[in-house]
Amino acid sequence: QVQLVESGGGLVQAGGSLRLSCVASGSIFSINAMRWYRQAPGKQRELVATIARGGITNYADSVKGRFIISRDNAKNTMYLQMNSLEPEDTSVYYCNADIQRATGRTFMNYWGQGTQVTVSS
């Protein structure tokens, strides 16, 4: 079994900051790309940021310059530092990762359960 568990969501005023964490646990041999997605009510889930195992990052245009994705491979943990938050950032944020459970096995895609971020104006 593999689990992704997000934490760090909450209520914050516009202009504030939050730091999300995602911990992968269980039978894990290797983790490739890790990603943060978000989904607001009535909207499609959108990709926020991606980080490769080696640390290369990509961001959605809407969060560039405000959000920073990072990871600690030794701890199987990913982070999302969110600064200058706007009401439009209000969403459920989901962790996503490509995980190999044993050497030679195919990488599978896993999702966390999500954490709510609410930004008040």
Side-chain angles (χ1 to χ4, degrees):
Q1 276 284 49
V2 171
Q3 275 194 315
L4 298 178
V5 178
E6 302 98 333
S7 62
L11 173 64
V12 64
Q13 287 190 330
S17 298
L18 281 175
R19 189 192 195 207
L20 305 183
S21 298
C22 169
V23 180
S25 63
S27 178
I28 296 172
F29 178 75
S30 181
I31 304 177
N32 270 354
M34 302 184 79
R35 308 167 189 89
W36 287 102
Y37 283 81
R38 67 185 181 185
Q39 187 167 21
K43 294 189 176 181
Q44 286 191 328
R45 190 170 295 189
E46 65 169 338
L47 178 62
V48 175
T50 301
I51 185 165
R53 180 170 180 82
I56 295 174
T57 59
N58 280 289
Y59 297 91
D61 288 343
S62 58
V63 306
K64 277 181 184 175
R66 300 189 298 122
F67 290 9
I68 301 172
I69 189 172
S70 61
R71 63 191 286 173
D72 184 334
N73 291 332
K75 296 180 179 179
N76 289 340
T77 301
M78 174 178 64
Y79 306 96
L80 187 68
Q81 178 67 42
M82 304 187 294
N83 302 318
S84 302
L85 282 162
E86 305 167 351
E88 293 73 22
D89 295 316
T90 295
S91 287
V92 177
Y93 284 72
Y94 296 91
C95 171
N96 176 272
D98 298 328
I99 296 174
Q100 184 186 37
R101 295 183 61 186
T103 182
R105 293 187 65 173
T106 302
F107 281 85
M108 303 291 289
N109 189 256
Y110 293 87
W111 289 90
Q113 83 289 348
T115 185
Q116 177 70 47
V117 171
T118 303
V119 184
S120 63
S121 56

